[in-house]
Amino acid sequence: MKLGFYPGCSLKGGSPEYRISTFNVAEKFGVELVEIPDWNCCGATAAHNMDKELSLSLPGRILALAEAAGLNEIVVPCAACYSRLTVTNHELAEDTQLRENISTIIGMKYEGNVKILNIIQFLDKYVLPHVEEKVVKKFNHDVACYYGCLLVRPHNILKFDREENPQTMDNVITKIGGNPIDWAFKTECCGAGLSVSRTDLVGKLSGKLMIDALDRGAEAIIVACPMCHSNLDMRRSAINKYMNRESEIPVIYITQAVGLAIGLSEKEVGFQYHMVKVKLKEKPITENLVVKKVVQTEPTEEK
Amino acid sequence: MAEFEPKIVAFVCNWCTYAGADLTGTSRIKYAANVKIIRFPCTGRIDFMLLLKAFANGADGIIVSGCHPNDCHYTYGNFHARRRWMIFRKLIDFAGIDINRISFNWVSAAEGARWAEVVNTTVETVRKLGPYENYKQVALSIYDQEDKTHE
Amino acid sequence: MSKIGVFVCHCGENISATVDCEKVAETISKLPGVALSMDYKYMCSDPGQTIIKEAIKEHNLDGVVVAACSPRMHEPTFRKACAEGGLNQYLCEMANIREHCSWVHPRENSTTEKAIDIVRTMVEKVKRNAPLESIKVPVTKKAMVIGGGVAGIQAALDIANAGHKVVMIERDPSIGGHMSQLSETFPTLDCSQCILTPRMVEVAQHPNITLISYAEVESLEGFIGNFKVKVRKKSKSLDEKLCTGCGLCTTKCPNKKIPNEFERGLGFRPAIYVPFPQAVPNKPVIDKKNCTYYTKGKCRICEKVCPTGAIRFDQPDEIVDIEVGAIVLCTGFDVKKPDFFPEYGYGKYKDVIDGLQFERLASASGPTQGVIRRPSDGEIPKKVVFIACAGSRDPAKGIEYCSKICCMYTAKHAMLYKHKVHEGTPYVFYMDIRAGGKMYEEFVRRAIVEDETQYIRGRVSTVYEKNGKLIVKGVDTLMNGRLVEIEADLVVLATAGVANDGAEDLAQKLHVSYDSYKFFAEAHPKLKPVETNTAGIFLAGACQAPKDIPESVAAASGAAVKVCGLFANNELTREPLIAIVNREAPPLYSNCVGCFMCQTVCPYQAIEREEVKDRSGKVIKTLAYINPGLCQGCGTCVALCRSKSIDLLGYTNDQVYTEVMALLND
């Protein structure tokens, strides 16, 4: 099974552990991830803040390249890249004139045949159906699933999960034997791109969510976005400064959690790259593992 | 040479356009005298054959006007009038009748100024188109051939 | 040969300033069929009208044309004058030479020519006018009020006090509606039940009112003055004649844990229950969905303990036929459950409640006896956050319109809370404050100034629970968008008022139009707020649009007066300018071919199928028949009829074609 793969800057740069864990998990489930040839930067926040055409051309080129390479389904682990690519896909599908403009700019035609999966959708489709048989060590921990700002918004374009109290990542954790806690900061901002310019604000925003996670007894925070990971992990000292207390809970990518559950080693999921050392306490295995159910008050599907 | 004064018949509904034309009068707004009004309870009552009768009797232009959609006093007579107009228009256009001579409007009871505007615009349009001889000649020639016992 | 009398009015100078009235009269007098043509200064004056009456007698006129102002002005005046002069009033028409001629054109020959054209057109039309008699429709002097809330109660009492019989149908076991659930009403802070229950009792005891509770409308037939309604009396499992209302059964029922609808889920009730202590009628009903006997076949304790043996487990629903002349719809509204805003946590956190639930907490006969307590642990909240517009004015997730009453009841809630919990702090997150009624703005000011309610202009983004408290995160836009975080003990959502459950079905049964929000449609939003487009059916209260109690009561009285006006005569007189389907002698019977296209387009459902039968009873033809009681005379069916079998009296094909021809030919 071959799928296209768009790493983006982060998976090749500051978040190698996300790439490593994703590849290793995919391999165990018979999925070969093929990097889109000659891919370019997706533009991220910078492009769509400056120039609309640029913000559509950069992802447009990526999609055109994927299509040309015959990769009709691509996995985009980084939430920001996923957002840009999906929004671009949507806008080009809606507006033929725009599609022609962008085609001229990038010098390639894009027919709109590429399907974009975020990491959760990828896990849902290719991993979860067979995960129970492959789990060798239940990920028996209380964890806070952090979705960040981009994974589930804007709902009417992404049509993925729900904006308030999303459940899909929690679902993955449950399937690997984990215990996702109900907490209040699932989609609150971590500080995003202020990581460099205003690290103190990252300390405050990420600190607020860290306080809630700690108070509710989280052993780790699960993420699906390299930006979130970086703010919660690399900027831990700023967070601790804001909270005025030391915190040691690690930040783990969802793919790393899955990897651990199916028996990958710490090195194979890339824990060595983390700033905050990953130390998870082993819980005594009990027969009746209580998984707290969160009361759902709206359907998960799109209306 | 005297300027051509078109003869225009207006088929209007009592509740909106007729009242709107009354308001034009009350407001003393002046407009062209070429248009004469025939009152109907609702534009839904207007059998579009009446329009052709008007042309056959020498009208150069026609105005049909009623309540705005959703405001019809009888809830949706004007929607029926509109539907009829959509089809009738295509039919008579195909038959060679000049549909630019017919003006279909919505004028509400509060739009006194608008009625004057509709009248003036239609008069000028029809004036430029000139007298409408074609239809009248065809219609009258048929009358001539008709059996006169139907008087 | 016709004998038309033409009277050209000068209207002082209004017409004669630009139109040569004498010339008009003179030219018209030459037309064949005109017996008399004259001009006069003021036709509508007494002497003017006398001239017409005398002329009718003197010249034996069979038609009158008054060339003057707009018929919208004086047609009734001149028609009445003609009637007094002995001429059928529908043989009188007006030619509009003022609004459509003298006032809008300068003094020129063309203006006078136009006036002549207009008068000539009406003369030709009147030659083809037929004498018509007003239509008389019998009226059943009994009204039906559907809905027993405050609007229904007011309407029923007003109509009954005017001397007419009323049948009130209420679908719940008791009347009272939402007003009976309220604790106090704004702006007076009157105890809601104290002012309502005397009225409820009056309804039950009024000799002219028949109250049928726990019943719904099954179907409707007929037309104004002559409605036939089938009402389904749902089985209460009770013989009402034997039941004394002692309430013993409700105390002995073992099945006590059913969420109480009256308490909005904050309390429980048994399976055999009276909705609230002041219910009218004060007799219980059995909730068949939850009763142990009906679901499992066991128990029957209520039957055993009833001192009069009134329980009837096998009582079926009963359908009754009721004939009424008018119907008033007062079915009220409902409060939309705010669970479509998952970020507010309604349904997830017990201490997030809606406005009506707060009313129950505040109410002295409520689940907490009027003490404001948190539903989760029964503690008295020290900080309560009220979120206004939780569902209204929101095109993205909620409803677009404003629910009108929430700003006022939120202020009221804040005040009630503060009156009961002196050391507590109420907060209100609002977008705008809509306090447009009498003493309303002053009321809100009291909440802010006297009761120290903290009003914060901004919306709330999330409510979540932490350590037993509800963290409310919002923004204060008047403080430059400063983020506000409040640790609340209780959160109250001011939810949207929406159309009641079943409103659409009822509207379809009654042929009443409704809008996209399922509120019933009024005949004209400005000038006919209590009538519908269906003759004989009136509206009152929140079923038409969200409204507060004074407006509902006013509308109910308005609707009642319309009903009384309808009942003021034994017969309804209507203008005879209606459509009729041609009828001929046998064997043709009619030009109508029975296609019934007309029936589909009539906005008033006025067209019926009439079967023509032969002597043995076999149906020969089915023809269209227009009900003279319902037809409003729009003429849509006339223009639509393919066989040209329908004509509109007053605007017949004959008349209208003649007008066209006369207008264009001198």
Side-chain angles (χ1 to χ4, degrees), chain A residues 15 18 59-60 65 79 94 110 118 133 152 162 176 185 194 203-204 206 208 213 224-225 237 270 299:
Chain A
S15 304
Y18 199 6
L65 287 167
E94 300 270 297
Y110 173 58
N118 63 37
E133 62 215 35
V152 295
R162 49 194 222 189
I176 58 172
F185 282 72
L194 294 173
K204 179 175 176 183
S206 289
K208 284 188 173 183
C225 165
S237 47

Side-chain angles (χ1 to χ4, degrees), chain B residues 7-12 14-50 53-55 57-60 72-78 80-81 84 109 115 136, chain C residues 14 69-73 75 79 93-96 98-106 110-111 113-114 117-118 121 125 513 528 533 600-605 632-640 644 647-648 651-654 656-657 659-661 663-666:
Chain B
K7 283 188 193 171
I8 301 185
V9 180
F11 298 87
V12 307
N14 174 53
W15 302 95
C16 281
T17 306
Y18 195 91
D22 276 355
L23 181 60
T24 320
T26 324
S27 319
R28 311 290 196 278
I29 299 173
K30 305 277 183 277
Y31 54 86
N34 311 59
V35 174
K36 288 155 211 167
I37 294 173
I38 299 184
R39 180 167 80 136
F40 289 84
C42 178
T43 45
R45 165 72 183 90
I46 302 173
D47 185 343
F48 279 35
M49 293 307 288
L50 279 167
K53 194 71 168 174
F55 280 139
N57 278 278
D60 300 303
C72 177
H73 179 84
Y74 303 98
T75 60
Y76 43 76
N78 55 357
H80 283 288
R84 267 178 228 147
W115 173 245
K136 186 173 175 183
Chain C
N14 282 310
C69 50
S70 170
R72 293 175 65 92
M73 187 98 190
E75 193 174 67
R79 284 202 166 156
E93 294 272 2
M94 284 187 72
N96 187 338
R98 190 182 72 171
E99 278 88 335
H100 289 182
C101 190
S102 74
W103 271 350
V104 292
H105 301 313
S110 57
T111 309
E113 292 299 314
K114 180 169 171 177
D117 284 340
I118 293 174
T121 309
K125 184 188 182 195
S513 22
K528 292 188 177 176
N533 271 322
T600 57
V601 301
C602 178
Y604 303 98
Q605 284 93 44
Q632 302 289 322
C634 71
T636 305
C637 58
V638 178
L640 187 116
K644 293 277 165 269
D647 219 345
L648 183 64
Y651 298 92
T652 60
N653 282 321
D654 214 14
V656 160
Y657 275 91
E659 277 186 273
V660 172
M661 287 161 56
L663 196 58
L664 293 161
N665 300 305
D666 316 280

Side-chain angles (χ1 to χ4, degrees), chain A:
Chain A
M1 179 75 224
K2 265 198 198 162
L3 283 186
F5 178 70
Y6 178 72
C9 322
S10 44
L11 268 75
K12 285 274 180 159
S15 304
E17 64 272 26
Y18 199 6
R19 191 188 76 245
I20 292 169
S21 54
T22 305
F23 265 86
N24 287 342
V25 166
E27 193 190 28
K28 284 281 192 265
F29 286 86
V31 176
E32 188 194 335
L33 296 173
V34 176
E35 220 173 279
I36 299 170
D38 196 31
W39 61 266
N40 51 268
C41 167
C42 73
T45 323
H48 82 72
N49 261 339
M50 304 285 282
D51 183 297
K52 175 142 189 187
E53 271 185 347
L54 180 66
S55 76
L56 293 173
S57 306
L58 290 168
R61 185 171 178 276
I62 299 165
L63 292 170
L65 287 167
E67 197 177 56
L71 300 165
N72 286 346
E73 209 175 27
I74 61 172
V75 182
V76 186
C78 168
C81 305
Y82 164 69
S83 174
R84 291 312 309 153
L85 285 168
T86 311
V87 168
T88 303
N89 217 7
H90 174 86
E91 296 223 17
L92 294 184
E94 300 270 297
D95 188 343
T96 8
Q97 186 60 48
L98 189 63
R99 200 160 63 231
E100 276 176 36
N101 286 354
I102 302 297
S103 290
T104 315
I105 296 174
I106 62 177
M108 273 186 274
K109 269 213 165 309
Y110 173 58
E111 304 297 335
N113 292 326
V114 178
K115 190 160 182 272
I116 303 165
L117 298 176
N118 63 37
I119 200 68
I120 313 283
Q121 288 169 324
F122 162 71
L123 292 171
D124 266 345
K125 193 168 175 186
Y126 293 102
V127 170
L128 288 192
H130 311 287
V131 78
E132 314 240 318
E133 62 215 35
K134 287 209 185 327
V135 167
V136 298
K137 184 169 158 224
K138 284 206 168 119
F139 188 75
N140 187 4
H141 302 285
D142 300 330
V143 292
C145 289
Y146 179 54
Y147 293 74
C149 58
L150 287 177
L151 205 55
V152 295
R153 293 193 278 237
H155 183 83
N156 59 327
I157 296 182
L158 304 184
K159 299 201 199 319
F160 170 66
D161 206 343
R162 49 194 222 189
E163 303 127 306
E164 305 295 339
N165 197 4
Q167 296 294 317
T168 43
M169 214 193 297
D170 298 58
N171 187 38
V172 176
I173 292 292
T174 312
K175 283 265 163 48
I176 58 172
N179 177 27
I181 61 171
D182 180 28
W183 66 308
F185 282 72
K186 274 182 171 175
T187 51
E188 300 294 312
C189 180
C190 65
L194 294 173
S195 187
V196 176
S197 49
R198 289 292 301 270
T199 319
D200 60 315
L201 285 180
V202 168
K204 179 175 176 183
L205 291 166
S206 289
K208 284 188 173 183
L209 74 92
M210 181 65 71
I211 290 174
D212 197 63
L214 289 171
D215 284 352
R216 292 179 198 258
E219 295 172 55
I221 300 183
I222 310 292
V223 295
C225 165
M227 183 90 257
C228 305
H229 188 276
S230 151
N231 279 348
L232 289 166
D233 179 71
M234 191 166 75
R235 301 296 180 199
R236 186 59 65 92
S237 47
I239 292 174
N240 288 344
K241 190 169 169 198
Y242 170 77
M243 297 195 298
N244 211 359
R245 80 198 225 208
E246 290 298 308
S247 63
E248 290 176 347
I249 64 168
V251 187
I252 303 177
Y253 284 102
I254 185 70
T255 41
Q256 293 177 316
V258 173
L260 282 183
I262 61 172
L264 294 178
S265 71
E266 291 200 352
K267 197 144 178 234
E268 281 172 311
V269 298
F271 279 163
Q272 63 275 27
Y273 292 102
H274 288 212
M275 300 275 178
V276 174
K277 245 182 135 34
V278 183
K279 278 182 298 195
L280 292 166
K281 286 201 190 69
E282 292 307 321
K283 275 212 207 115
I285 297 172
T286 50
E287 214 54 63
N288 308 315
L289 202 65
V290 175
V291 177
K292 287 203 205 97
K293 267 228 175 80
V294 170
V295 174
Q296 285 203 16
T297 51
E298 70 169 4
T300 312
E301 288 90 49
E302 67 172 271
K303 296 180 191 76

